[in-house]
Amino acid sequence: VQAVAAIERALGVTVDYVKQRHVFGKPLLDLQNTRFKLAEAKTQAHVARVFLDSCIERLMRGELDTVTASMAKWWTTDLQCQCRRVSPAARRLRLHARVPDRPDVRRRQVQRIYGGANEIMKEIIARSL
Ligand SMILES: Cc1cc2nc3c(=O)[nH]c(=O)nc-3n(C[C@H](O)[C@H](O)[C@H](O)COP(=O)(O)OP(=O)(O)OC[C@H]3O[C@@H](n4cnc5c(N)ncnc54)[C@H](O)[C@@H]3O)c2cc1C
């Protein structure tokens, strides 16, 4: 849930930024490459949200199995780390919030470690093949 919330926030911050920032006399959002990249990011965020909601529903029904939970954990936290690495707006947000870069690097890595390291999640999934 934390990972998907962070992904959605990074996307929202980035969309706000590319609407406000002007280059060559027009907003960044008007450039087709920006539009394509953000279309990809929005799709990934949506897929993550739908998968997460499906896991929550299964958990509430007592039907969430370990393999599916492991898929959700590794995939959403990896996607979260990608979002934070590539989003210039997210980097700007960290600078404006006066958050030093190094602790943030540690925090984003920790998502892939705590709650069970992502390599272990993949090992659990692989055992079900
Ligand atoms: C900030 C923080 C908060 C935490 N909070 C809690 C908490 O509230 N409650 C709780 O119970 N625990 C908590 N933990 C512990 C956390 O769940 C463990 O750190 C996590 O499960 C990883 O286990 P480990 O530290 O033993 O790492 P290890 O298992 O020693 O893994 C170290 C590295 O080796 C890799 N690795 C390990 N085995 C394999 C393998 N077979 N193949 C390939 N790579 C492998 C891992 O992916 C990882 O990169 C917390 C940890 C941190 C850092």
Side-chain angles (χ1 to χ4, degrees):
V1 170
Q2 283 181 354
V4 173
I7 291 163
E8 290 170 344
R9 172 74 177 143
L11 181 63
V13 167
T14 305
V15 169
D16 286 347
Y17 175 71
V18 298
K19 282 180 179 170
Q20 288 163 21
R21 176 90 165 96
H22 280 63
V23 286
F24 307 122
K26 56 185 179 182
L28 260 179
L29 186 59
D30 284 1
L31 300 180
Q32 195 178 49
N33 188 61
T34 308
R35 302 174 68 78
F36 281 6
K37 289 293 172 199
L38 286 173
E40 291 169 14
K42 185 170 181 173
T43 306
Q44 286 176 315
H46 187 71
V47 171
R49 167 58 63 185
V50 171
F51 183 36
L52 171 68
D53 286 351
S54 147
C55 287
I56 292 171
E57 284 170 18
R58 289 168 71 170
L59 181 69
M60 301 290 281
R61 290 197 302 266
E63 294 170 3
L64 183 63
D65 61 281
T66 306
V67 171
T68 309
S70 297
M71 289 177 186
K73 199 276 172 178
W74 94 258
W75 193 76
T76 57
T77 55
D78 251 45
L79 187 61
Q80 177 188 0
C81 292
Q82 283 175 38
C83 284
R84 285 187 164 186
R85 262 197 306 273
V86 301
S87 160
R91 278 202 299 273
R92 280 173 66 98
L93 185 75
R94 290 206 303 276
L95 287 175
H96 287 163
R98 298 183 188 280
V99 179
D101 204 44
R102 238 180 119 221
D104 185 79
V105 168
R106 265 185 264 139
R107 269 202 301 278
R108 80 182 177 209
Q109 292 300 332
V110 93
Q111 297 280 341
R112 305 177 68 251
I113 295 169
Y114 63 23
N118 281 5
E119 287 73 19
I120 300 300
M121 299 299 110
K122 291 177 193 176
E123 185 57 36
I124 291 168
I125 297 161
R127 283 178 201 161
S128 72
L129 297 173

